[in-house]
Amino acid sequence: MFRKQRMSRLLQITCSAMLIAAVPLAATAQQRARESLNFQSDKPLEIQGDRLEVLEEGRVNVLTGNVSVVQGPNLLRSAKMTVYFASGSNPRESTTGNNIERIEVEGGVYVKSEKQVATGDRGTYNMNTEVLELSGKEVVLTEGENVIVGCKLVIRGRNGQATLESCKNNATGGRVKMLITPPDRNAQ
């Protein structure tokens, strides 16, 4: 009986230590999400697609088929992208994103930075506020072996806040799932 209680206590201590160790790792993953998955309005953007439709006197551009946006190390891909330019701006005057108001994407959304990859069904990026929202049936954020899964990822580039909301009414019971792999302390 005493041995069984001792083993139970050891298991509790071990689980507690693992949970305590995971909290800083989760915070680090959130910090890196803020820093990495962020486009900037003052940097050049390369936008490509199979088809371009120009609407509202050039203020709205709709790209379809193998759409991609590249800015430095950041890449965004989707099946469809709608680019909204600021009122009174001429989309042809600048190669930077400073005249773009927001970008909406849908269909197999993939966002990649140097260290992270995020996927979802649809997303929006507000160039003025630098807020990225990615949502869908399942939003997955990965960095190395670390994986966080939910249904809505919001990254606020200016104030550094990142949140991932759970998937309500699904098989996971409406919870955010995380797999955090501690760094190999022997590798340096």
Side-chain angles (χ1 to χ4, degrees):
M1 179 74 171
F2 179 70
R3 185 175 180 170
K4 192 174 190 180
Q5 287 176 334
R6 218 169 124 194
M7 289 300 285
S8 176
R9 180 70 180 142
L10 181 61
L11 183 61
Q12 288 175 339
I13 291 170
T14 302
C15 288
S16 296
M18 288 173 63
L19 285 173
I20 290 169
V23 171
L25 291 172
T28 300
Q30 189 177 37
Q31 172 69 23
R32 288 184 181 147
R34 293 190 297 252
E35 295 170 352
S36 299
L37 297 172
N38 193 23
F39 289 86
Q40 298 169 351
S41 62
D42 62 343
K43 305 283 188 212
L45 290 171
E46 179 184 323
I47 302 175
Q48 298 181 14
D50 292 340
R51 182 172 186 264
L52 170 65
E53 184 178 359
V54 179
L55 307 169
E56 297 181 31
E57 297 176 2
R59 188 168 131 42
V60 178
N61 291 347
V62 180
L63 290 99
T64 53
N66 300 311
V67 178
S68 70
V69 176
V70 177
Q71 185 182 66
N74 295 321
L75 168 68
L76 184 147
R77 289 191 311 218
S78 68
K80 179 181 178 184
M81 174 182 299
T82 306
V83 180
Y84 296 89
F85 290 90
S87 296
S89 70
N90 184 347
R92 294 169 234 10
E93 288 180 354
S94 174
T95 60
T96 64
N98 62 1
N99 58 346
I100 295 175
E101 202 170 83
R102 77 180 184 280
I103 296 172
E104 295 177 356
V105 290
E106 60 184 84
V109 179
Y110 173 90
V111 184
K112 180 182 179 293
S113 69
E114 289 182 85
K115 297 180 180 181
Q116 297 176 325
V117 173
T119 59
D121 297 329
R122 65 198 141 290
T124 61
Y125 187 76
N126 184 311
M127 296 296 283
N128 297 323
T129 62
E130 297 179 9
V131 173
L132 169 69
E133 290 187 18
L134 191 58
S135 61
K137 184 177 178 182
E138 183 176 77
V139 173
V140 180
L141 174 62
T142 60
E143 179 178 329
E145 295 181 28
N146 299 325
V147 181
I148 303 175
V149 181
C151 278
K152 183 178 180 184
L153 172 66
V154 178
I155 300 173
R156 293 172 181 82
R158 288 201 179 146
N159 68 11
Q161 181 183 10
T163 57
L164 183 63
E165 295 179 16
S166 64
C167 303
K168 295 164 180 55
N169 302 322
N170 74 358
T172 63
R175 302 174 64 91
V176 172
K177 298 185 297 184
M178 296 174 29
L179 171 62
I180 305 295
T181 304
D184 185 1
R185 299 197 190 268
N186 296 325
Q188 297 211 3

